[in-house]
Amino acid sequence: MKKPGGTIKQTAAAAPAKAPAKQTLPETTEGFPWPSSHEIKKESNPFTDRDWRMLVYAWSGMLVRFAIIFTLAFSIYQFLANQEQKRVEQTMSLVELWETKDYQQAQRALKDRLAALNAKYDNLLSANPSPTEEQVFRQRIGIEAMTAAGGDMPLADFNENFDRIVYFLNRLSFCIDGNLCSRKVTDAYFHDYAVSFWSYFAGYVDKQRKAGSPTFATAIEAYVRNGQPAAEAK
């Protein structure tokens, strides 16, 4: 009679069965899975929401934004207006200086001397002179005006008046160049006078620069040149 334990020993001694091989997953380039279309929710528009509280919130926020933009724009406008007002006030102070006794006397001295020379050499200019002829004529008059034979006033006295006008026009040009004066108001009061002054004395100024004063009246020239229309400046 066989013992029941013999069969058990034979079974245990048998070779164990091989474990199944691990399955290798394919490599993918996707870091994350595609989101489900069910998870995407469309954002609601507060301006079309049926809840009146959302509507109040949306429109009040919009009004606040408009108020901020308007306040900022008004502040900028007010700042620029104040700056222009200061420039106008500075220009008017120069106008008041121009109308003082000393400058009025200097203006009359130049006017009388140039008027006398224009009358003296009137026959040298044709009835319809070209711009070039008129320019040369005026510059010759300006050069003679700066000589002792240029008029009845002693040359030393005339030079004093001339220097006063040069100083004022230079100061005027510096004020505009530094954005301290209003260009519009300045041109209304002084541009025509500055252009006329330069048309007579540009030749004399050029002689002074060649004689050793290279910056003489450069500010006046800059003011006159910059104020000319493009067609005239060429």
Side-chain angles (χ1 to χ4, degrees):
M1 184 176 182
K2 294 181 180 180
K3 293 182 181 180
T7 307
I8 296 173
K9 290 181 180 180
Q10 292 177 358
T11 306
K18 292 184 178 180
K22 293 183 180 180
Q23 185 178 1
T24 304
L25 297 176
E27 294 185 1
T28 62
T29 58
E30 301 293 337
F32 298 96
W34 287 98
S36 174
S37 59
H38 297 288
E39 298 177 1
I40 301 176
K41 294 181 180 180
K42 185 179 181 181
E43 295 183 0
S44 60
N45 187 348
F47 292 97
T48 59
D49 200 291
R50 295 182 179 181
D51 190 346
W52 65 270
R53 289 171 297 182
M54 290 297 295
L55 290 173
V56 171
Y57 173 78
W59 285 107
S60 60
M62 181 65 71
L63 291 176
V64 169
R65 291 185 180 90
F66 278 128
I68 293 174
I69 294 173
F70 175 79
T71 303
L72 180 62
F74 180 77
S75 299
I76 295 174
Y77 169 79
Q78 193 173 28
F79 172 77
L80 295 176
N82 290 337
Q83 292 296 106
E84 180 62 19
Q85 182 63 28
K86 291 180 181 179
R87 287 191 284 268
V88 171
E89 292 175 357
Q90 182 66 26
T91 305
M92 295 310 297
S93 68
L94 290 178
V95 173
E96 293 176 0
L97 179 63
W98 184 246
E99 294 176 350
T100 57
K101 180 180 179 181
D102 290 340
Y103 283 100
Q104 289 291 315
Q105 178 181 340
Q107 294 173 58
R108 284 194 299 269
L110 264 71
K111 181 179 178 181
D112 292 344
R113 202 173 185 92
L114 294 176
L117 289 172
N118 272 294
K120 179 179 178 181
Y121 296 109
D122 183 56
N123 59 335
L124 300 179
L125 196 64
S126 62
N128 297 311
S130 65
T132 303
E133 291 174 343
E134 188 172 357
Q135 180 181 3
V136 172
F137 176 77
R138 288 192 173 196
Q139 290 187 11
R140 287 179 177 176
I141 286 181
I143 291 174
E144 183 170 345
M146 302 305 298
T147 64
D152 297 333
M153 180 180 289
L155 183 59
D157 295 339
F158 181 76
N159 280 336
E160 183 179 351
N161 290 306
F162 178 82
D163 291 342
R164 187 174 286 115
I165 297 296
V166 170
Y167 167 78
F168 181 87
L169 293 179
N170 276 329
R171 179 178 174 181
L172 184 72
S173 179
F174 291 141
C175 191
I176 295 174
D177 187 59
N179 204 26
L180 301 175
C181 289
S182 170
R183 179 86 194 201
K184 182 178 180 181
V185 179
T186 302
D187 287 349
Y189 277 96
F190 302 110
H191 185 259
D192 289 345
Y193 186 90
V195 171
S196 178
F197 175 88
W198 188 254
S199 68
Y200 280 104
F201 295 104
Y204 173 75
V205 169
D206 185 60
K207 290 181 62 177
Q208 292 298 107
R209 291 176 180 176
K210 292 178 180 178
S213 301
T215 61
F216 182 67
T218 53
I220 301 176
E221 182 179 11
Y223 174 61
V224 172
R225 301 295 186 196
N226 293 337
Q228 287 182 339
E232 295 180 8
K234 292 181 180 180

